[in-house]
Amino acid sequence: MKLPHFIAIAGLICAVFAIGIPHLSALGIWLAVSTILSLIYIVVAIVLSVKDGVKAPSRDYEIQGSSLSKLFTITGAAATLVFVFNTGMLPEIQATVRQPVVKNMMKALYFQFTVGVLPMYAVVFIGYWAYGSSTSVYLLNNVNGPVWVKALANISAILQSVISLHIFASPTYEYMDTKFGIKGNPLALKNLLFRIMARGGYIAVSTLLSALLPFLGDFMSLTGAVSTFPLTFILANHMYYKAKNNKLNPLQKLWHWLNVVFFSLMSVAAAIAALRLIALDSKNFHVFADL
Protein backbone atom coordinates (compact mmCIF):
# COMPACT_ATOMS: atom_id res chain seq x y z
CA MET A 1 0.00 0.00 0.00
CA LYS A 2 1.13 3.54 -0.77
CA LEU A 3 0.47 6.94 0.76
CA PRO A 4 -2.55 7.75 -1.48
CA HIS A 5 -4.22 4.53 -0.29
CA PHE A 6 -3.81 5.50 3.36
CA ILE A 7 -5.10 9.00 2.62
CA ALA A 8 -8.19 7.45 1.03
CA ILE A 9 -8.75 5.26 4.12
CA ALA A 10 -8.40 8.29 6.40
CA GLY A 11 -10.86 10.22 4.23
CA LEU A 12 -13.38 7.38 4.46
CA ILE A 13 -13.11 7.34 8.27
CA CYS A 14 -13.61 11.12 8.39
CA ALA A 15 -16.66 10.86 6.12
CA VAL A 16 -18.27 8.12 8.22
CA PHE A 17 -17.72 10.16 11.39
CA ALA A 18 -19.05 13.37 9.82
CA ILE A 19 -22.19 11.61 8.58
CA GLY A 20 -22.73 9.86 11.91
CA ILE A 21 -22.43 13.02 14.05
CA PRO A 22 -25.25 15.24 12.72
CA HIS A 23 -24.38 18.43 14.65
CA LEU A 24 -21.71 19.85 16.96
CA SER A 25 -23.70 19.34 20.15
CA ALA A 26 -23.97 15.62 19.32
CA LEU A 27 -20.24 15.16 19.89
CA GLY A 28 -20.86 14.55 23.59
CA ILE A 29 -18.52 11.84 24.84
CA TRP A 30 -16.31 12.26 21.78
CA LEU A 31 -14.87 15.44 23.31
CA ALA A 32 -13.58 13.42 26.26
CA VAL A 33 -12.26 10.78 23.85
CA SER A 34 -10.48 13.52 21.91
CA THR A 35 -8.80 14.78 25.10
CA ILE A 36 -7.63 11.28 26.06
CA LEU A 37 -6.26 10.64 22.56
CA SER A 38 -4.41 13.97 22.62
CA LEU A 39 -2.85 13.16 26.00
CA ILE A 40 -1.69 9.73 24.77
CA TYR A 41 0.10 11.31 21.81
CA ILE A 42 1.60 14.12 23.92
CA VAL A 43 2.86 11.82 26.71
CA VAL A 44 4.37 9.27 24.30
CA ALA A 45 6.00 11.97 22.16
CA ILE A 46 7.50 13.75 25.17
CA VAL A 47 8.70 10.63 27.02
CA LEU A 48 10.31 9.00 23.97
CA SER A 49 11.86 12.31 22.84
CA VAL A 50 13.39 12.92 26.27
CA LYS A 51 14.69 9.32 26.31
CA ASP A 52 16.33 9.83 22.90
CA GLY A 53 17.56 13.31 23.72
CA VAL A 54 19.40 12.24 26.85
CA LYS A 55 21.32 9.53 24.96
CA ALA A 56 21.84 11.39 21.67
CA PRO A 57 25.19 12.96 20.71
CA SER A 58 25.48 16.67 20.03
CA ARG A 59 22.82 17.92 17.62
CA ASP A 60 22.78 20.63 14.95
CA TYR A 61 20.19 23.28 15.82
CA GLU A 62 21.02 25.58 12.90
CA ILE A 63 18.14 26.44 10.56
CA GLN A 64 19.08 25.10 7.13
CA GLY A 65 19.28 27.19 3.95
CA SER A 66 20.38 30.62 2.78
CA SER A 67 19.47 33.83 4.61
CA LEU A 68 16.62 34.49 2.17
CA SER A 69 15.37 30.92 2.49
CA LYS A 70 15.46 31.18 6.30
CA LEU A 71 13.44 34.40 6.17
CA PHE A 72 10.75 32.84 3.98
CA THR A 73 10.71 29.65 6.08
CA ILE A 74 10.32 31.49 9.39
CA THR A 75 7.60 33.77 8.00
CA GLY A 76 5.69 30.80 6.57
CA ALA A 77 6.12 28.90 9.85
CA ALA A 78 4.56 31.82 11.73
CA ALA A 79 1.41 31.53 9.61
CA THR A 80 1.35 27.76 10.10
CA LEU A 81 1.65 28.15 13.89
CA VAL A 82 -1.17 30.68 13.99
CA PHE A 83 -3.34 28.28 12.01
CA VAL A 84 -2.43 25.18 14.08
CA PHE A 85 -2.63 26.77 17.53
CA ASN A 86 -5.84 28.70 16.81
CA THR A 87 -7.76 26.16 18.91
CA GLY A 88 -9.86 28.38 21.14
CA MET A 89 -13.10 27.72 19.25
CA LEU A 90 -14.13 24.60 21.16
CA PRO A 91 -13.80 25.95 24.74
CA GLU A 92 -15.32 29.21 23.53
CA ILE A 93 -18.40 27.38 22.17
CA GLN A 94 -18.72 25.20 25.26
CA ALA A 95 -18.51 28.20 27.58
CA THR A 96 -21.60 29.78 25.98
CA VAL A 97 -23.83 27.03 27.38
CA ARG A 98 -24.36 28.78 30.71
CA GLN A 99 -24.63 32.38 31.89
CA PRO A 100 -22.83 34.76 32.04
CA VAL A 101 -21.77 33.93 28.48
CA VAL A 102 -19.04 36.54 27.95
CA LYS A 103 -17.38 35.96 31.33
CA ASN A 104 -17.35 32.18 30.86
CA MET A 105 -16.09 32.54 27.30
CA MET A 106 -13.18 34.70 28.43
CA LYS A 107 -12.31 32.29 31.26
CA ALA A 108 -12.28 29.41 28.77
CA LEU A 109 -10.04 31.30 26.35
CA TYR A 110 -7.64 32.41 29.09
CA PHE A 111 -7.33 28.79 30.22
CA GLN A 112 -6.90 27.53 26.65
CA PHE A 113 -4.10 29.94 25.78
CA THR A 114 -2.18 29.47 29.06
CA VAL A 115 -2.50 25.98 30.53
CA GLY A 116 -3.99 24.56 27.32
CA VAL A 117 -1.02 25.35 25.09
CA LEU A 118 1.69 24.16 27.50
CA PRO A 119 1.56 20.51 26.35
CA MET A 120 1.68 21.62 22.71
CA TYR A 121 4.73 23.80 23.27
CA ALA A 122 6.33 21.03 25.32
CA VAL A 123 6.11 18.67 22.33
CA VAL A 124 7.56 21.34 20.02
CA PHE A 125 10.52 22.43 22.16
CA ILE A 126 11.41 19.02 23.62
CA GLY A 127 11.23 17.47 20.15
CA TYR A 128 13.57 20.10 18.70
CA TRP A 129 15.91 19.76 21.67
CA ALA A 130 16.07 16.00 21.20
CA TYR A 131 16.65 15.88 17.43
CA GLY A 132 17.79 19.36 16.38
CA SER A 133 17.30 20.55 12.82
CA SER A 134 16.69 16.97 11.66
CA THR A 135 13.36 16.92 13.52
CA SER A 136 10.56 15.65 11.31
CA VAL A 137 7.39 17.63 10.72
CA TYR A 138 5.67 14.73 12.47
CA LEU A 139 7.66 14.08 15.65
CA LEU A 140 6.82 10.38 15.92
CA ASN A 141 8.88 9.81 12.76
CA ASN A 142 11.98 10.56 14.87
CA VAL A 143 11.32 8.80 18.15
CA ASN A 144 12.68 5.38 19.07
CA GLY A 145 10.86 2.99 21.37
CA PRO A 146 8.63 -0.09 21.58
CA VAL A 147 6.64 -0.64 18.40
CA TRP A 148 3.34 -1.01 20.28
CA VAL A 149 3.87 2.31 22.09
CA LYS A 150 4.57 4.15 18.83
CA ALA A 151 1.62 2.41 17.19
CA LEU A 152 -0.66 3.50 20.06
CA ALA A 153 0.49 7.11 19.70
CA ASN A 154 0.06 7.04 15.91
CA ILE A 155 -3.44 5.57 16.13
CA SER A 156 -4.36 8.15 18.79
CA ALA A 157 -3.10 10.96 16.55
CA ILE A 158 -5.13 9.69 13.57
CA LEU A 159 -8.37 9.26 15.53
CA GLN A 160 -7.98 12.59 17.32
CA SER A 161 -7.46 14.26 13.94
CA VAL A 162 -10.76 12.80 12.74
CA ILE A 163 -12.59 14.37 15.71
CA SER A 164 -10.71 17.68 15.31
CA LEU A 165 -11.55 17.86 11.62
CA HIS A 166 -15.22 17.40 12.43
CA ILE A 167 -15.11 20.18 15.05
CA PHE A 168 -13.49 22.68 12.71
CA ALA A 169 -15.64 21.66 9.74
CA SER A 170 -18.85 21.81 11.78
CA PRO A 171 -19.54 25.51 11.02
CA THR A 172 -19.50 24.59 7.32
CA TYR A 173 -21.76 21.61 7.94
CA GLU A 174 -24.16 23.69 10.04
CA TYR A 175 -24.26 26.37 7.34
CA MET A 176 -25.15 23.81 4.68
CA ASP A 177 -27.86 22.30 6.90
CA THR A 178 -29.36 25.75 7.51
CA LYS A 179 -29.04 26.81 3.89
CA PHE A 180 -30.94 23.77 2.61
CA GLY A 181 -33.46 23.61 5.46
CA ILE A 182 -32.31 20.34 7.01
CA LYS A 183 -34.32 19.89 10.22
CA GLY A 184 -35.91 17.18 12.31
CA ASN A 185 -34.74 13.63 12.95
CA PRO A 186 -31.08 13.23 11.88
CA LEU A 187 -31.85 9.61 10.89
CA ALA A 188 -34.65 10.59 8.53
CA LEU A 189 -33.87 9.35 5.02
CA LYS A 190 -33.84 12.86 3.54
CA ASN A 191 -31.47 14.20 6.20
CA LEU A 192 -29.21 11.17 6.04
CA LEU A 193 -28.93 11.33 2.24
CA PHE A 194 -28.16 15.05 2.42
CA ARG A 195 -25.31 14.46 4.90
CA ILE A 196 -23.92 11.68 2.74
CA MET A 197 -23.91 13.89 -0.36
CA ALA A 198 -22.92 17.23 1.20
CA ARG A 199 -20.44 16.16 3.87
CA GLY A 200 -19.26 13.08 2.00
CA GLY A 201 -18.69 15.16 -1.12
CA TYR A 202 -16.81 17.85 0.82
CA ILE A 203 -14.49 15.27 2.40
CA ALA A 204 -14.11 13.37 -0.89
CA VAL A 205 -12.81 16.52 -2.60
CA SER A 206 -10.48 17.24 0.35
CA THR A 207 -9.20 13.66 0.29
CA LEU A 208 -8.56 13.78 -3.46
CA LEU A 209 -6.59 17.02 -3.12
CA SER A 210 -4.59 15.57 -0.21
CA ALA A 211 -3.62 12.51 -2.25
CA LEU A 212 -3.03 14.57 -5.39
CA LEU A 213 -0.76 17.07 -3.60
CA PRO A 214 1.22 15.23 -0.91
CA PHE A 215 2.72 18.53 0.23
CA LEU A 216 -0.74 19.83 1.14
CA GLY A 217 0.67 20.82 4.54
CA ASP A 218 2.23 23.81 2.76
CA PHE A 219 -1.28 25.12 2.21
CA MET A 220 -1.63 25.44 5.99
CA SER A 221 0.76 28.39 5.79
CA LEU A 222 -1.32 29.94 3.02
CA THR A 223 -4.55 29.37 4.98
CA GLY A 224 -3.01 30.93 8.07
CA ALA A 225 -1.81 33.91 6.05
CA VAL A 226 -5.03 34.69 4.18
CA SER A 227 -7.63 33.71 6.80
CA THR A 228 -6.34 33.10 10.34
CA PHE A 229 -4.08 36.16 10.53
CA PRO A 230 -6.80 38.57 9.28
CA LEU A 231 -9.64 37.03 11.35
CA THR A 232 -7.67 36.56 14.57
CA PHE A 233 -5.56 39.72 14.69
CA ILE A 234 -6.62 42.28 12.08
CA LEU A 235 -10.42 42.05 12.15
CA ALA A 236 -10.57 41.55 15.93
CA ASN A 237 -8.49 44.66 16.65
CA HIS A 238 -10.40 46.74 14.10
CA MET A 239 -13.80 45.65 15.43
CA TYR A 240 -12.77 46.39 19.01
CA TYR A 241 -11.48 49.81 17.95
CA LYS A 242 -14.76 50.64 16.19
CA ALA A 243 -16.91 49.39 19.07
CA LYS A 244 -14.93 51.17 21.81
CA ASN A 245 -13.70 54.16 19.81
CA ASN A 246 -15.12 56.83 22.14
CA LYS A 247 -13.90 55.04 25.27
CA LEU A 248 -10.29 54.47 24.23
CA ASN A 249 -7.47 56.86 25.07
CA PRO A 250 -4.95 57.85 22.36
CA LEU A 251 -2.42 55.24 23.52
CA GLN A 252 -4.99 52.44 23.31
CA LYS A 253 -6.09 53.58 19.86
CA LEU A 254 -2.46 53.62 18.71
CA TRP A 255 -1.94 50.10 20.08
CA HIS A 256 -4.88 48.68 18.11
CA TRP A 257 -3.85 50.41 14.92
CA LEU A 258 -0.28 49.14 15.32
CA ASN A 259 -1.70 45.62 15.60
CA VAL A 260 -3.79 46.12 12.46
CA VAL A 261 -0.83 47.45 10.44
CA PHE A 262 1.74 44.94 11.74
CA PHE A 263 -0.41 41.87 11.21
CA SER A 264 -1.55 43.14 7.81
CA LEU A 265 2.11 43.23 6.77
CA MET A 266 2.67 39.81 8.35
CA SER A 267 -0.32 38.43 6.47
CA VAL A 268 1.01 39.65 3.13
CA ALA A 269 4.57 38.44 3.87
CA ALA A 270 3.33 35.04 5.05
CA ALA A 271 1.15 34.65 1.95
CA ILE A 272 4.17 35.34 -0.29
CA ALA A 273 6.29 32.88 1.71
CA ALA A 274 3.58 30.20 1.49
CA LEU A 275 3.18 30.63 -2.27
CA ARG A 276 6.95 30.37 -2.69
CA LEU A 277 7.02 27.17 -0.61
CA ILE A 278 4.16 25.67 -2.65
CA ALA A 279 5.93 26.56 -5.91
CA LEU A 280 9.21 24.98 -4.74
CA ASP A 281 7.57 21.80 -3.48
CA SER A 282 5.47 21.43 -6.62
CA LYS A 283 8.75 21.04 -8.55
CA ASN A 284 10.05 18.34 -6.21
CA PHE A 285 6.99 16.08 -5.97
CA HIS A 286 4.74 14.52 -8.57
CA VAL A 287 1.02 14.06 -8.12
CA PHE A 288 -0.12 11.08 -6.03
CA ALA A 289 3.46 10.70 -4.78
CA ASP A 290 4.28 8.00 -2.23
CA LEU A 291 6.40 9.97 0.24
Side-chain angles (χ1 to χ4, degrees), residues 274-289:
L275 290 172
R276 174 182 176 273
L277 188 61
I278 292 170
L280 290 175
D281 282 345
S282 65
K283 296 178 181 178
N284 299 329
F285 300 116
H286 60 81
V287 295
F288 297 111

Side-chain angles (χ1 to χ4, degrees), residues 5-290:
H5 301 141
F6 289 106
I7 292 175
I9 293 172
L12 179 61
I13 296 172
C14 290
V16 170
F17 191 81
I19 294 167
I21 306 296
H23 39 75
L24 192 59
S25 59
L27 276 169
I29 191 65
W30 290 104
L31 297 178
V33 173
S34 174
T35 302
I36 294 171
L37 294 172
S38 297
L39 288 174
I40 291 173
Y41 169 82
I42 289 168
V43 170
V44 171
I46 290 176
V47 171
L48 294 184
S49 295
V50 170
K51 179 174 171 289
D52 288 344
V54 170
K55 298 179 180 179
S58 59
R59 279 82 75 190
D60 179 17
Y61 294 107
E62 182 69 22
I63 299 175
Q64 303 300 313
S66 64
S67 298
L68 182 62
S69 176
K70 291 178 182 179
L71 177 63
F72 277 115
T73 301
I74 293 171
T75 305
T80 302
L81 285 172
V82 170
F83 178 76
V84 172
F85 286 116
N86 188 33
T87 55
M89 182 171 67
L90 182 57
E92 183 179 345
I93 292 172
Q94 289 178 310
T96 60
V97 173
R98 66 185 189 280
Q99 296 291 335
V101 172
V102 175
K103 184 178 179 181
N104 291 329
M105 185 188 302
M106 294 305 298
K107 286 168 61 178
L109 290 175
Y110 287 143
F111 178 84
Q112 170 67 14
F113 290 106
T114 52
V115 178
V117 298
L118 288 179
M120 301 181 189
Y121 282 119
V123 171
V124 172
F125 288 109
I126 291 175
Y128 196 76
W129 163 77
Y131 307 106
S133 58
S134 64
T135 307
S136 170
V137 175
Y138 182 57
L139 186 59
L140 292 183
N141 288 339
N142 289 96
V143 301
N144 297 294
V147 174
W148 71 268
V149 174
K150 294 173 63 177
L152 176 64
N154 277 300
I155 292 171
S156 298
I158 293 169
L159 296 179
Q160 200 280 334
S161 298
V162 173
I163 300 172
S164 296
L165 172 65
H166 185 77
I167 292 171
F168 284 97
S170 283
T172 303
Y173 298 154
E174 299 282 356
Y175 171 78
M176 289 191 292
D177 290 347
T178 303
K179 179 73 173 177
F180 293 96
I182 302 302
K183 299 178 181 178
N185 187 352
L187 296 178
L189 182 60
K190 174 188 173 184
N191 296 344
L192 187 60
L193 288 176
F194 177 81
R195 289 202 304 277
I196 292 173
M197 290 187 294
R199 301 183 184 190
Y202 167 76
I203 294 176
V205 172
S206 301
T207 302
L208 177 62
L209 289 174
S210 298
L212 184 69
L213 306 172
F215 53 92
L216 195 63
D218 295 351
F219 288 87
M220 290 173 62
S221 294
L222 185 61
T223 304
V226 301
S227 65
T228 314
F229 260 129
L231 291 175
T232 305
F233 298 109
I234 302 172
L235 182 62
N237 275 280
H238 189 263
M239 289 176 65
Y240 188 85
Y241 174 83
K242 286 294 186 180
K244 301 283 187 178
N245 187 19
N246 296 329
K247 299 179 181 179
L248 299 177
N249 60 48
L251 186 60
Q252 290 174 317
K253 292 181 179 180
L254 177 62
W255 167 250
H256 288 291
W257 274 115
L258 284 175
N259 277 322
V260 170
V261 173
F262 174 76
F263 286 109
S264 295
L265 295 174
M266 277 295 297
S267 180
V268 173
I272 294 172
L275 290 172
R276 174 182 176 273
L277 188 61
I278 292 170
L280 290 175
D281 282 345
S282 65
K283 296 178 181 178
N284 299 329
F285 300 116
H286 60 81
V287 295
F288 297 111
D290 182 28

